[in-house]
Amino acid sequence: MKVIKIDNNKISAQTIAQITYALKQGKVIVYPTETFYGLGCDATNARAVKKIYKIKGRRRDKALPFLVYSVAMAKKYLVFNTAAKKLSQKFWPGPLTLVLDFNKYGKKVFKQSINKKSFDAGVRISSNTIATLLVKKLGKPLISTSANLSWLPAAKDIKTAIKYWQRRKLKPDIMVDAGKLPSSFGSTFVDARSGEVKILRPGDIRLS
């Protein structure tokens, strides 16, 4: 595992380009978000996504959420209804993951990666500058599942993530170290497919 340190206060364009190049090559990375460190890859790369499932020890019938850098990018792949529009306007960028149906194009793009048994996905725009820069530079959605083995707690720092995988055969290719992250309950997951708000998992954003 290669560790790349990055300064939140002075983000190097060269470093972002280096990490993005690795993502375009199908590599799996650990990177900071506004909640926990995330485990990610190009969400449209079925081979890379399959690797994340194996690295994390996650069941294939459990979908992986992803990040976009704009509402326009989300609309490219997902059915963005009125409820999603209102919630995104209020809480994005931030720790609110909207579960939405794929549109026709999204089904075509993702049918071999994250949605083998369903046609919906969890999506958000991260308020972490590094995460959003990576998505924007990649130009494609970025998988954003917590950087941990499925049975262990989410990682708040790179040292913890390294410990999780240092003795395992399958591991991430790159660890992006942005220091220790602030305390978080994680992203709030909301099912907005029906047009009504249904909280699937509580998190940092409290909805009444």
Side-chain angles (χ1 to χ4, degrees):
M1 293 181 291
K2 181 178 182 180
V3 178
I4 298 177
K5 290 192 175 183
I6 193 164
D7 187 344
N8 287 289
N9 298 314
K10 191 179 180 181
I11 301 172
S12 166
Q14 184 177 357
T15 301
I16 293 294
Q18 178 186 0
I19 300 166
T20 305
Y21 177 78
L23 288 168
K24 290 180 178 179
Q25 299 302 306
K27 302 298 184 182
V28 173
I29 69 170
V30 171
Y31 64 98
T33 75
E34 72 276 34
T35 55
F36 304 107
Y37 271 88
L39 186 63
C41 70
D42 174 353
T44 68
N45 185 326
R47 183 174 295 180
V49 172
K50 185 177 180 180
K51 186 177 179 181
I52 281 189
Y53 275 105
K54 290 181 177 180
I55 287 172
K56 190 176 173 73
R58 187 181 179 92
R59 296 193 338 247
R60 285 304 304 266
D61 61 347
K62 295 184 70 175
L64 296 170
F66 57 74
L67 302 180
V68 293
Y69 73 82
S70 67
V71 170
M73 190 181 206
K75 288 181 176 179
K76 183 177 180 180
Y77 304 102
L78 300 158
V79 177
F80 219 75
N81 57 27
T82 301
K85 182 179 179 180
K86 290 180 179 178
L87 288 166
S88 65
Q89 287 177 339
K90 187 173 183 179
F91 297 110
W92 282 4
L96 180 73
T97 298
L98 298 177
V99 175
L100 300 168
D101 288 319
F102 282 113
N103 58 28
K104 186 176 180 180
Y105 180 71
K107 288 179 181 180
K108 180 180 178 181
V109 171
F110 290 97
K111 66 179 179 180
Q112 294 299 325
S113 58
I114 70 170
N115 66 321
K116 287 208 167 189
K117 292 190 177 181
S118 66
F119 290 104
D120 55 69
V123 61
R124 80 179 193 271
I125 298 176
S126 176
S127 56
N128 181 281
T129 304
I130 295 169
T132 299
L133 280 173
L134 289 174
V135 182
K136 191 171 185 179
K137 189 73 175 178
L138 178 64
K140 296 177 181 179
L142 178 66
I143 292 294
S144 186
T145 184
S146 56
N148 60 309
L149 296 160
S150 288
W151 56 92
L152 294 174
K156 299 293 295 181
D157 56 71
I158 284 297
K159 287 183 179 179
T160 301
I162 289 173
K163 287 180 181 178
Y164 286 162
W165 283 291
Q166 62 184 354
R167 295 184 180 180
R168 299 184 68 85
K169 183 178 180 180
L170 292 174
K171 58 191 69 178
D173 299 293
I174 294 173
M175 299 274 190
V176 182
D177 185 0
K180 189 173 182 179
L181 302 178
S183 296
S184 171
F185 293 104
S187 177
T188 300
F189 274 69
V190 172
D191 186 342
R193 291 174 293 178
S194 69
E196 297 181 0
V197 175
K198 181 181 178 182
I199 299 174
L200 301 178
R201 189 188 77 183
D204 287 343
I205 289 177
R206 304 295 176 178
L207 300 173
S208 56

